[in-house]
Amino acid sequence: MTVGSTLLRTISPYFDLRIVEVTKSISTAFGLELGELVDVPELGLHLVVGSKWALPRVVSWAHATEMTDPRPHLRGSELVCTVGSALLTAANCARLVEAVHATGSAGICLGIGEVHTQIPRALITECHRLSVPLIEMAHGVPFLAINDVLADARVRAQSGSSQRNAELVSRLLAALRENAPVEDILSVSSAALGGSLTYALADPAAESLPMATLSAVVDDAPGSLSVRTAEGNLLAWQGQPPSPDADVLGQIGRVLEIARHERVDHDNQDRQRIGQLFALVSEGLADSAALMPELQRAGLVGKSLTISAWPAETASLLAAHLPGTLIADAPEATFVVTVGPEDVYGAARDLGLVCGHGSPVDVSQISRGIGEARATLRLARRHGKVAGPDSLTSLTGLLEQQPPMRLVPFIDQLVRPLLEHDARRGSQLLTTLRTFIEQQGSLQATAEAQYLHVNTVRHRLGRIGVITGRNPLEDNDRASLAIALWAYDRSRRYVP
């Protein structure tokens, strides 16, 4: 089917009129104003920050999240809903408000009673500073109730006068409330309209249409009709004449988009939940058996598993590229469970991302696999390429697998005394030690690198031995000092 300017030139005045009517009816149903939502008694909403300037803001969707920076998952005009489990500090409150402001979202809705008995003062202050509307939601009202109201309003605004269309809309609303997938909604709609429906997502690289518009295009061929939604997606019908009303097709398109975004939100939350499980298992706070249901759903039980770690906030991208895999969206990294490393290298090449993966493991060894994946990701970031388990067979690889707290004694006992000595005396013992280790324990090479006499280097190393109780000229003690320096450098890298 061809859609373009030649088709628009050949359509009849009757169809041209229908296109204008569809554009007007759909544009008014893009969302509800914030003031209209606040006026719905069942929602129990109270406007805390915002007055006349906030009420006209259009809310197209309610997005539930506990992330402090949900920017990757926002498209603008959403009402960002949270119970505030992460809003325990002023910095986190500021981070959330800045994210909502930057994405053009409609505002923030805080559910009271689960975490907070009252809205944090820091959140109110930041919302005032950036003019972000802030709404309080009564305890016991689910965030999904907002989406129910929005869905009802949208579909009511688009409903036609035909009894068949009204019944179809009612069925689609019921399917939407039951979280029916896009495929089921297409099937129900096709059966009601006769013929077949296809729903094609817009090319992400293409220029998107202005918000709150929908255009209908009638194909040259009889028995064909398509509409392009505000998000640029194409819903096409084919069948025996007469064709359905274009406005009904537009309504179906909006319901499909709502269902698709529901699915995306559900998948995102599911991946975050699995990410929390991964964190608990890796820290020894949960048994690996806790992941068994997820592995069963992904068809991975009884197989040799490869766990890879990727940069944080890449879960959606990886899910689209690696369908059927188990993906865990953890705060510090995204973990992917595959059968074998081939898919890991393919995805890294296609997406241009660095990642790390561990050795093949079974279900009982998942904790080990997560630890290796986390360590290899840190090594991959250093070298700018995929890192595998072979990269862990070095001193650096071994240290990357250690919890930071395990290396704190090395810093406290071996590095900090040198730092304090250098601060008091204006000396450079730590710099000399670092150079000596980098030069593989060569006195001459260290002296040349620091423009010192060999005896000066020897004297400084002697002072280091007195202060730390470790002799840099002995292999074992030099290894201990090298570990201490490595741990100190890593602790500085992760200071916010």
Side-chain angles (χ1 to χ4, degrees):
M1 181 176 63
T2 304
V3 175
S5 58
T6 54
L7 298 178
L8 294 174
R9 285 196 296 269
T10 59
I11 58 179
S12 68
Y14 169 70
F15 282 117
D16 193 33
L17 176 61
R18 290 170 65 194
I19 292 172
V20 174
E21 290 177 347
V22 171
T23 301
K24 289 182 179 178
S25 65
I26 298 301
S27 64
T28 58
F30 181 76
L32 288 179
E33 292 183 356
L34 197 57
E36 294 177 287
L37 280 178
V38 172
D39 288 339
V40 177
E42 294 81 4
L43 295 180
L45 301 178
H46 170 64
L47 189 64
V48 177
V49 175
S51 53
K52 291 183 179 179
W53 58 267
L55 298 179
R57 291 202 178 189
V58 174
V59 179
S60 64
W61 199 243
H63 176 79
T65 183
E66 295 306 312
M67 298 175 66
T68 56
D69 189 355
R71 265 176 272 207
H73 309 297
L74 299 179
R75 296 175 296 116
S77 76
E78 300 95 336
L79 183 62
V80 178
C81 300
T82 178
V83 297
S85 60
L87 303 181
L88 304 179
T89 65
N92 282 352
C93 290
R95 194 173 295 116
L96 176 63
V97 176
E98 287 168 2
V100 171
H101 178 264
T103 54
S105 297
I108 297 172
C109 176
L110 182 69
I112 294 297
E114 297 295 330
V115 177
H116 299 278
T117 57
Q118 59 185 8
I119 296 181
R121 175 56 54 183
L123 185 62
I124 296 175
T125 300
E126 288 300 315
C127 285
H128 276 299
R129 184 175 69 86
L130 294 179
S131 296
V132 172
L134 176 61
I135 291 177
E136 176 182 307
M137 191 174 205
H139 180 61
V141 182
F143 294 139
L144 283 177
I146 298 176
N147 284 335
D148 284 344
V149 170
L150 289 169
D152 285 339
R154 285 171 179 160
V155 180
R156 277 199 310 271
Q158 300 171 39
S159 59
S161 58
S162 164
Q163 181 63 33
R164 185 188 68 170
N165 294 344
E167 290 176 357
L168 173 58
V169 168
S170 178
R171 291 178 63 190
L172 294 183
L173 272 177
L176 199 59
R177 288 194 178 95
E178 294 172 1
N179 296 319
V182 167
E183 294 77 12
D184 287 359
I185 292 174
L186 277 173
S187 178
V188 169
S189 301
S190 297
L193 298 178
S196 63
L197 284 172
T198 56
Y199 181 57
L201 299 183
D203 182 358
E207 184 178 355
S208 59
L209 295 174
M211 296 176 70
T213 65
L214 182 146
S215 57
V217 180
V218 182
D219 204 345
D220 283 327
S224 297
L225 178 68
S226 63
V227 295
R228 192 173 293 278
T229 69
E231 296 182 5
N233 304 320
L234 189 69
L235 178 63
W237 172 88
Q238 282 189 320
Q240 294 298 320
S243 60
D245 291 338
D247 59 344
V248 173
L249 214 57
Q251 295 166 29
I252 296 171
R254 287 301 298 149
V255 171
L256 286 168
E257 289 181 347
I258 293 171
R260 184 170 65 85
H261 288 302
E262 279 276 18
R263 182 73 257 172
V264 170
D265 286 345
H266 178 272
D267 289 345
N268 286 337
Q269 293 173 15
D270 203 39
R271 289 191 286 266
Q272 291 172 18
R273 178 182 58 80
I274 298 172
Q276 292 172 349
L277 277 177
F278 265 59
L280 292 174
V281 170
S282 67
E283 294 168 8
L285 300 177
D287 191 87
S288 57
L291 290 169
M292 187 64 72
E294 312 303 334
L295 294 170
Q296 287 176 335
R297 275 191 283 271
L300 295 171
V301 175
K303 298 179 180 179
S304 182
L305 308 176
T306 295
I307 301 177
S308 55
W310 304 72
E313 300 183 354
T314 58
S316 297
L317 183 64
L318 290 165
H321 198 80
L322 295 170
T325 58
L326 181 62
I327 297 179
D329 188 1
E332 82 283 5
T334 297
F335 296 96
V336 180
V337 183
T338 57
V339 179
E342 293 79 11
D343 288 340
V344 173
Y345 285 90
R349 180 184 62 251
D350 295 342
L351 299 175
L353 295 174
V354 297
C355 70
H357 71 91
S359 306
V361 297
D362 58 29
V363 175
S364 64
Q365 299 173 310
I366 280 184
S367 178
R368 168 196 160 195
I370 296 172
E372 289 186 3
R374 187 184 284 117
T376 52
L377 175 60
R378 288 193 286 264
L379 294 171
R381 283 173 165 153
R382 288 189 184 183
H383 303 300
K385 61 181 182 180
V386 178
D390 57 314
S391 64
L392 299 177
T393 58
S394 63
L395 177 59
T396 299
L398 177 63
L399 294 176
E400 285 286 6
Q401 298 177 73
Q402 306 307 312
M405 290 301 297
R406 188 171 294 170
L407 299 177
V408 168
F410 285 85
I411 301 173
D412 289 346
Q413 301 301 317
L414 302 181
V415 174
R416 209 164 301 286
L418 296 179
L419 286 171
E420 294 170 354
H421 182 276
D422 286 346
R424 287 196 310 270
R425 303 290 183 88
S427 56
Q428 296 186 9
L429 296 184
L430 194 64
T431 301
T432 300
L433 175 61
R434 186 184 297 278
T435 304
F436 183 66
I437 291 173
E438 290 172 351
Q439 298 300 328
Q440 306 299 317
S442 169
L443 291 169
Q444 186 63 44
T446 302
E448 292 173 358
Q450 289 210 297
Y451 303 101
L452 299 172
H453 193 277
V454 172
N455 288 341
T456 301
V457 173
R458 196 186 301 276
H459 173 74
R460 290 186 179 180
L461 295 179
R463 289 296 302 154
I464 291 171
V466 171
I467 294 170
T468 64
R470 297 289 190 277
N471 183 359
L473 296 175
E474 293 185 2
D475 291 343
N476 286 342
D477 286 354
R478 186 164 64 251
S480 298
L481 292 166
I483 292 171
L485 275 176
W486 186 93
Y488 172 66
D489 290 342
R490 184 169 76 168
S491 69
R492 295 179 69 193
R493 287 201 304 272
Y494 294 127
V495 172

